[in-house]
Amino acid sequence: MAPRDIIVIPDKRLRLKSEPVAKVDDSIRMLVEQMFEAMYAAPGIGLAAIQLGEPKRVVTMDIAKKDDPKEPQVFINPEILWTSDEKNVHEEGCLSIPEYYEEVERPAEVKVKYMDIEGKPHEVHATGLLATCLQHEIDHLNGILFIDHISKLKRDRVVKKYSKQAKRAAEG
Ligand code: GNR
Ligand code: NI
């Protein structure tokens, strides 16, 4: 099957707060499979379910280097328990804001609790790219985009550009 479409700004669904998963059942397992398919096809290193239009607290990720073996990871109902005072600046992109990249400052380290695909609870102390990516994806679950962390001038400029594109596409 072709991968499902990833929704892009200014789609209002990206601003929804996603609902917790009560139970990891077949529908969630199917959603996770579709998320990996869309994420790898894009290609991207992370995806939140809302990017497929599903407001559920589900995240897929694979931050393995390009030529290394795949390392698919699933985070269900992820919650940030702790953030470091130390900050880190990383260039971010988002599959829902195609071809736009900007530096974002975030806590350098986070402690996150989550469930795996079997519904088993875990905690991870994340640093580096994993810390950045987890925060980017958990933001999505709360209707927050990485452009919310940059200057208003830059944000307004990129939102305007994509709004114009969407309008043109709608008009044909
Ligand atoms: O593919 C992605 N790359 C990326 C790079 C830096 C920080 C975060 C990310 S996540 C992004 C995919 C995406 O939009 N996930 O929501
Ligand atoms: Ni994103």
Side-chain angles (χ1 to χ4, degrees), residues 33-48:
E33 201 174 306
Q34 293 171 351
M35 287 171 65
F36 276 121
E37 193 185 0
M39 186 186 88
Y40 284 124
I45 60 174
L47 197 74

PDB file of all heavy atoms in Angstrom, residues 33-48:
ATOM      1  N   GLU A  33       2.232   0.934  12.399  1.00  0.00           N
ATOM      2  CA  GLU A  33       2.772   0.403  11.142  1.00  0.00           C
ATOM      3  C   GLU A  33       2.673   1.451  10.029  1.00  0.00           C
ATOM      4  O   GLU A  33       3.624   1.678   9.280  1.00  0.00           O
ATOM      5  CB  GLU A  33       1.964  -0.843  10.779  1.00  0.00           C
ATOM      6  CG  GLU A  33       2.662  -1.786   9.827  1.00  0.00           C
ATOM      7  CD  GLU A  33       1.847  -3.057   9.639  1.00  0.00           C
ATOM      8  OE1 GLU A  33       1.504  -3.702  10.664  1.00  0.00           O
ATOM      9  OE2 GLU A  33       1.522  -3.372   8.486  1.00  0.00           O
ATOM     10  N   GLN A  34       1.514   2.112   9.955  1.00  0.00           N
ATOM     11  CA  GLN A  34       1.313   3.139   8.922  1.00  0.00           C
ATOM     12  C   GLN A  34       2.218   4.349   9.157  1.00  0.00           C
ATOM     13  O   GLN A  34       2.685   4.977   8.205  1.00  0.00           O
ATOM     14  CB  GLN A  34      -0.153   3.578   8.909  1.00  0.00           C
ATOM     15  CG  GLN A  34      -1.073   2.467   8.438  1.00  0.00           C
ATOM     16  CD  GLN A  34      -2.545   2.805   8.619  1.00  0.00           C
ATOM     17  OE1 GLN A  34      -2.897   3.804   9.256  1.00  0.00           O
ATOM     18  NE2 GLN A  34      -3.408   1.972   8.048  1.00  0.00           N
ATOM     19  N   MET A  35       2.460   4.642  10.436  1.00  0.00           N
ATOM     20  CA  MET A  35       3.354   5.766  10.760  1.00  0.00           C
ATOM     21  C   MET A  35       4.783   5.470  10.311  1.00  0.00           C
ATOM     22  O   MET A  35       5.452   6.329   9.735  1.00  0.00           O
ATOM     23  CB  MET A  35       3.300   6.071  12.260  1.00  0.00           C
ATOM     24  CG  MET A  35       2.000   6.752  12.687  1.00  0.00           C
ATOM     25  SD  MET A  35       1.843   6.882  14.481  1.00  0.00           S
ATOM     26  CE  MET A  35       3.206   7.994  14.867  1.00  0.00           C
ATOM     27  N   PHE A  36       5.266   4.246  10.594  1.00  0.00           N
ATOM     28  CA  PHE A  36       6.619   3.898  10.144  1.00  0.00           C
ATOM     29  C   PHE A  36       6.710   3.960   8.622  1.00  0.00           C
ATOM     30  O   PHE A  36       7.690   4.468   8.068  1.00  0.00           O
ATOM     31  CB  PHE A  36       7.025   2.511  10.650  1.00  0.00           C
ATOM     32  CG  PHE A  36       7.589   2.522  12.041  1.00  0.00           C
ATOM     33  CD1 PHE A  36       6.998   1.788  13.062  1.00  0.00           C
ATOM     34  CD2 PHE A  36       8.725   3.271  12.346  1.00  0.00           C
ATOM     35  CE1 PHE A  36       7.515   1.805  14.356  1.00  0.00           C
ATOM     36  CE2 PHE A  36       9.257   3.296  13.635  1.00  0.00           C
ATOM     37  CZ  PHE A  36       8.646   2.558  14.634  1.00  0.00           C
ATOM     38  N   GLU A  37       5.680   3.465   7.953  1.00  0.00           N
ATOM     39  CA  GLU A  37       5.699   3.463   6.498  1.00  0.00           C
ATOM     40  C   GLU A  37       5.815   4.904   5.964  1.00  0.00           C
ATOM     41  O   GLU A  37       6.641   5.195   5.100  1.00  0.00           O
ATOM     42  CB  GLU A  37       4.435   2.774   5.960  1.00  0.00           C
ATOM     43  CG  GLU A  37       4.545   2.450   4.482  1.00  0.00           C
ATOM     44  CD  GLU A  37       3.263   1.883   3.892  1.00  0.00           C
ATOM     45  OE1 GLU A  37       2.267   1.732   4.622  1.00  0.00           O
ATOM     46  OE2 GLU A  37       3.266   1.614   2.672  1.00  0.00           O
ATOM     47  N   ALA A  38       4.997   5.807   6.510  1.00  0.00           N
ATOM     48  CA  ALA A  38       5.007   7.207   6.071  1.00  0.00           C
ATOM     49  C   ALA A  38       6.321   7.889   6.446  1.00  0.00           C
ATOM     50  O   ALA A  38       6.886   8.662   5.671  1.00  0.00           O
ATOM     51  CB  ALA A  38       3.826   7.952   6.682  1.00  0.00           C
ATOM     52  N   MET A  39       6.826   7.589   7.660  1.00  0.00           N
ATOM     53  CA  MET A  39       8.057   8.217   8.149  1.00  0.00           C
ATOM     54  C   MET A  39       9.265   7.804   7.312  1.00  0.00           C
ATOM     55  O   MET A  39      10.055   8.650   6.897  1.00  0.00           O
ATOM     56  CB  MET A  39       8.271   7.828   9.622  1.00  0.00           C
ATOM     57  CG  MET A  39       9.434   8.528  10.277  1.00  0.00           C
ATOM     58  SD  MET A  39       9.717   7.893  11.955  1.00  0.00           S
ATOM     59  CE  MET A  39      10.810   6.522  11.597  1.00  0.00           C
ATOM     60  N   TYR A  40       9.386   6.502   7.044  1.00  0.00           N
ATOM     61  CA  TYR A  40      10.534   6.030   6.254  1.00  0.00           C
ATOM     62  C   TYR A  40      10.439   6.495   4.805  1.00  0.00           C
ATOM     63  O   TYR A  40      11.445   6.782   4.168  1.00  0.00           O
ATOM     64  CB  TYR A  40      10.644   4.507   6.316  1.00  0.00           C
ATOM     65  CG  TYR A  40      11.197   3.961   7.619  1.00  0.00           C
ATOM     66  CD1 TYR A  40      10.490   3.028   8.379  1.00  0.00           C
ATOM     67  CD2 TYR A  40      12.452   4.374   8.087  1.00  0.00           C
ATOM     68  CE1 TYR A  40      10.998   2.522   9.571  1.00  0.00           C
ATOM     69  CE2 TYR A  40      12.967   3.876   9.276  1.00  0.00           C
ATOM     70  CZ  TYR A  40      12.241   2.950  10.016  1.00  0.00           C
ATOM     71  OH  TYR A  40      12.757   2.462  11.190  1.00  0.00           O
ATOM     72  N   ALA A  41       9.213   6.582   4.280  1.00  0.00           N
ATOM     73  CA  ALA A  41       9.037   6.994   2.885  1.00  0.00           C
ATOM     74  C   ALA A  41       9.396   8.467   2.700  1.00  0.00           C
ATOM     75  O   ALA A  41       9.876   8.858   1.637  1.00  0.00           O
ATOM     76  CB  ALA A  41       7.603   6.736   2.441  1.00  0.00           C
ATOM     77  N   ALA A  42       9.164   9.272   3.741  1.00  0.00           N
ATOM     78  CA  ALA A  42       9.261  10.744   3.597  1.00  0.00           C
ATOM     79  C   ALA A  42      10.618  11.234   3.037  1.00  0.00           C
ATOM     80  O   ALA A  42      10.610  11.987   2.059  1.00  0.00           O
ATOM     81  CB  ALA A  42       8.901  11.425   4.914  1.00  0.00           C
ATOM     82  N   PRO A  43      11.808  10.915   3.566  1.00  0.00           N
ATOM     83  CA  PRO A  43      12.049  10.202   4.801  1.00  0.00           C
ATOM     84  C   PRO A  43      12.180  11.175   5.960  1.00  0.00           C
ATOM     85  O   PRO A  43      12.610  12.298   5.788  1.00  0.00           O
ATOM     86  CB  PRO A  43      13.402   9.524   4.525  1.00  0.00           C
ATOM     87  CG  PRO A  43      14.137  10.496   3.654  1.00  0.00           C
ATOM     88  CD  PRO A  43      13.088  11.268   2.886  1.00  0.00           C
ATOM     89  N   GLY A  44      11.840  10.688   7.171  1.00  0.00           N
ATOM     90  CA  GLY A  44      12.017  11.495   8.374  1.00  0.00           C
ATOM     91  C   GLY A  44      12.542  10.626   9.489  1.00  0.00           C
ATOM     92  O   GLY A  44      12.543   9.394   9.375  1.00  0.00           O
ATOM     93  N   ILE A  45      12.966  11.273  10.583  1.00  0.00           N
ATOM     94  CA  ILE A  45      13.513  10.509  11.723  1.00  0.00           C
ATOM     95  C   ILE A  45      12.502  10.367  12.855  1.00  0.00           C
ATOM     96  O   ILE A  45      12.764   9.677  13.830  1.00  0.00           O
ATOM     97  CB  ILE A  45      14.830  11.134  12.249  1.00  0.00           C
ATOM     98  CG1 ILE A  45      14.616  12.578  12.727  1.00  0.00           C
ATOM     99  CG2 ILE A  45      15.904  11.088  11.166  1.00  0.00           C
ATOM    100  CD1 ILE A  45      15.856  13.176  13.382  1.00  0.00           C
ATOM    101  N   GLY A  46      11.354  11.030  12.721  1.00  0.00           N
ATOM    102  CA  GLY A  46      10.317  10.910  13.746  1.00  0.00           C
ATOM    103  C   GLY A  46       8.971  11.258  13.149  1.00  0.00           C
ATOM    104  O   GLY A  46       8.901  11.914  12.106  1.00  0.00           O
ATOM    105  N   LEU A  47       7.908  10.790  13.795  1.00  0.00           N
ATOM    106  CA  LEU A  47       6.567  11.144  13.340  1.00  0.00           C
ATOM    107  C   LEU A  47       5.606  11.038  14.515  1.00  0.00           C
ATOM    108  O   LEU A  47       5.677  10.104  15.318  1.00  0.00           O
ATOM    109  CB  LEU A  47       6.109  10.200  12.215  1.00  0.00           C
ATOM    110  CG  LEU A  47       4.916  10.683  11.385  1.00  0.00           C
ATOM    111  CD1 LEU A  47       5.330  11.810  10.434  1.00  0.00           C
ATOM    112  CD2 LEU A  47       4.300   9.537  10.573  1.00  0.00           C
ATOM    113  N   ALA A  48       4.702  12.007  14.608  1.00  0.00           N
ATOM    114  CA  ALA A  48       3.626  11.957  15.594  1.00  0.00           C
ATOM    115  C   ALA A  48       2.340  11.596  14.844  1.00  0.00           C
ATOM    116  O   ALA A  48       2.163  11.989  13.687  1.00  0.00           O
ATOM    117  CB  ALA A  48       3.481  13.316  16.280  1.00  0.00           C
TER     118      ALA A  48
END
